[in-house]
Amino acid sequence: MNVKAGDLAIIIAANHTPENIGTIVEVVRIAVPGELFANGNIRFTGSPNSAWVTKRDGGEPMPWRLASGNQFVAEEVVCEDRFLRPVSGLPIEEDVHTKDRVPA
């Protein structure tokens, strides 16, 4: 798995919704086959442990397009694990302190 629940991740690829590429999302949990999204319009039919429920950092709805071309907007969308990469910064203990900075 590339990510885990609680991670911030960037979407690096998409099957049908390329406008989501580059979007930062929060990884909420593993997607469960059969669950409904987008007000009941989309049913996740993938394999267990192959995809994550994600939401845009900040909670803003995201587009979600099906292979048929039908597009929906949802607060949570399913994204395949292979299309996600974690986004991380420096751990707090590695912050640069003022005394370590080079004078300008």
Side-chain angles (χ1 to χ4, degrees):
M1 296 290 233
N2 291 315
V3 295
K4 63 184 182 310
D7 281 353
L8 284 182
I10 187 167
I11 299 174
I12 61 163
N15 284 328
H16 309 293
T17 317
E19 58 265 45
N20 286 341
I21 295 172
T23 300
I24 303 295
V25 294
E26 177 186 346
V27 179
V28 178
R29 61 181 167 76
I30 288 282
V32 177
E35 70 179 305
L36 297 171
F37 293 90
N39 295 325
N41 290 303
I42 300 173
R43 181 178 302 277
F44 174 60
T45 58
S47 303
N49 299 323
S50 67
W52 295 92
V53 175
T54 65
K55 65 181 180 181
R56 190 186 307 246
D57 190 33
E60 196 175 318
M62 295 172 54
W64 193 357
R65 189 174 299 109
L66 302 176
S68 66
N70 292 341
Q71 183 170 325
F72 302 92
V73 176
E75 290 181 16
E76 293 184 334
V77 300
V78 173
C79 190
E80 293 181 51
D81 183 74
R82 65 189 176 126
F83 295 158
L84 294 169
R85 292 295 177 272
V87 176
S88 61
L90 290 174
I92 293 172
E93 60 271 6
E94 291 185 28
D95 281 350
V96 176
H97 301 282
T98 305
K99 66 179 183 175
D100 298 327
R101 294 188 184 175
V102 177

